[in-house]
Amino acid sequence: MKIAILSRNGNLYSTKRLVEAGTKLGHEMHVIDHLKCDLVIEKKQPSIVYKNNRLEGFDAIIPRIGASVTFYGTAVVRQFEMMKLFTAVESQALVRSRDKLRSLQILSRAGLGLPKTVFTNDTKNVEAVISEVGGAPLIIKLLEGTQGLGVVLAENDKAAESVLEAFHGLQARVIVQEFIKEAKGADIRAFIVDGQVVGAMKRQAKEGEFRSNLHRGGTAELIELTDEEEIAALKAAKAMGLGVAGVDMLQSARGPLILEVNSSPGLEGIERATGRDIARDIIKYIARNV
């Protein structure tokens, strides 16, 4: 097969691993910078021009679209779909996963456990919002934030009011979530490929930090999911329509709580924690479907 990886940087760990895994399995792998793709739209002949050459002969794509370029990246994925190529992540699922508020609404409708969350457009009603999630400590998240950026822990009501007023003053859209104390600064990432959990790790925030993201200095270790956690992760990926996903969960007194479903999960942390060749799992998933 001829497979394109949509990635802006061929030296990234995840991109290199996918190229390596695909090549070992006998496939022709190409890294394409989606921001340098020109989309040609005409009657029944959608095409893509990349570096002055029309892209032809591809069988499948693996989107690795960064959050900052979701709009254009999704348009490129959609164009490939119009050209009848299989994609490891569908354009609609990618759009859904990048909208934190919409994602939570979809997960809620699917009956999954979530931290209690409030979103409001009323900038004068911050006290009621804080009260609705049980008061401080609480979490305030920018809807456009990624990798732990734009996430604030407000330890008391006054601090929460100040942060919310500041964000509203900047016309930034935020959600307010209850703080799950018993999680103790840790979360779980379950990596899903084609309806199966292929690996899971527990990420622990460094001392003095509440965000467990590896980009923020967190550490990761192999973990075996409980039946309840595995079912929740699979259900979340299915609800979002994702064949490849990283499902982030908190362990709470009332069971697993879904934080986020990531449509472009990094491979480095999960492969090192589990020792599993997850890039190979993704390539084999594509091969089964093309």
Side-chain angles (χ1 to χ4, degrees):
M1 286 192 306
K2 188 176 179 181
I3 302 173
I5 302 170
L6 304 185
S7 173
R8 297 186 65 193
N9 185 350
N11 292 318
L12 292 174
Y13 178 93
S14 299
T15 304
K16 287 194 296 185
R17 284 289 298 113
L18 288 165
V19 170
E20 180 184 314
T23 302
K24 279 185 178 179
L25 288 169
H27 304 300
E28 184 181 335
M29 306 298 294
H30 296 262
V31 178
I32 293 172
D33 183 345
H34 37 283
L35 291 192
K36 294 180 180 177
C37 289
D38 298 327
L39 311 183
V40 182
I41 303 167
E42 57 181 321
K43 184 179 179 180
K44 294 186 178 180
Q45 284 189 318
S47 59
I48 296 175
V49 175
Y50 180 65
K51 295 183 178 179
N52 298 320
N53 293 307
R54 200 170 295 271
L55 295 179
E56 294 177 331
F58 285 90
D59 299 292
I61 61 169
I62 305 173
R64 302 289 307 171
I65 310 296
S68 62
V69 293
T70 297
F71 177 81
Y72 197 80
T74 304
V76 175
V77 174
R78 195 179 301 120
Q79 190 81 352
F80 275 112
E81 289 172 342
M82 291 167 62
M83 292 161 62
K84 309 299 184 186
L85 271 69
F86 177 79
T87 173
V89 178
E90 294 181 359
S91 58
Q92 274 299 100
L94 178 57
V95 170
R96 281 194 297 266
S97 71
R98 289 290 161 79
D99 186 332
K100 283 188 174 68
L101 185 60
R102 187 179 179 190
S103 295
L104 291 171
Q105 290 171 324
I106 290 169
L107 296 170
S108 172
R109 186 175 61 195
L112 287 151
L114 305 165
K116 190 171 184 180
T117 304
V118 177
F119 176 69
T120 182
N121 197 46
D122 186 356
T123 58
K124 297 176 182 177
N125 201 28
V126 293
E127 290 182 6
V129 170
I130 292 167
S131 175
E132 194 63 46
V133 296
L138 53 79
I139 303 293
I140 301 169
K141 292 182 180 179
L142 275 172
L143 284 178
E144 288 81 15
T146 60
Q147 298 178 349
L149 295 171
V151 182
V152 178
L153 170 62
E155 303 213 12
N156 57 63
D157 288 359
K158 284 295 181 187
E161 288 177 24
S162 297
V163 173
L164 282 170
E165 287 169 359
F167 276 136
H168 286 316
L170 294 169
Q171 296 186 321
R173 297 180 300 165
V174 297
I175 54 176
V176 180
Q177 287 186 327
E178 66 173 314
F179 178 66
I180 308 301
K181 186 177 180 180
E182 61 266 31
K184 297 178 181 177
D187 71 7
I188 292 171
R189 168 160 288 186
F191 208 105
I192 314 293
V193 178
D194 198 15
Q196 290 188 320
V197 176
V198 295
M201 62 179 174
K202 187 170 187 176
R203 303 182 299 187
Q204 180 66 54
K206 65 181 181 180
E207 190 174 349
E209 175 63 81
F210 71 96
R211 296 169 295 183
S212 60
N213 305 69
L214 301 185
H215 293 85
R216 309 259 73 81
T219 56
E221 63 178 2
L222 176 68
I223 188 175
E224 186 170 341
L225 299 180
T226 65
D227 290 344
E228 190 179 12
E229 289 163 351
E230 183 170 350
I231 290 167
L234 292 173
K235 194 173 179 181
K238 184 177 181 181
M240 297 299 295
L242 290 167
V244 176
V247 180
D248 296 341
M249 300 178 283
L250 292 177
Q251 293 175 309
S252 80
R254 60 181 191 266
L257 304 177
I258 308 294
L259 283 175
E260 187 177 5
V261 183
N262 194 319
S263 56
S264 295
L267 298 179
E268 186 171 9
I270 192 74
E271 285 197 337
R272 288 182 176 171
T274 63
R276 178 162 178 159
D277 190 345
I278 291 175
R280 181 184 176 90
D281 293 329
I282 294 171
I283 300 297
K284 291 179 80 172
Y285 157 59
I286 291 167
R288 286 194 298 272
N289 281 275
V290 170

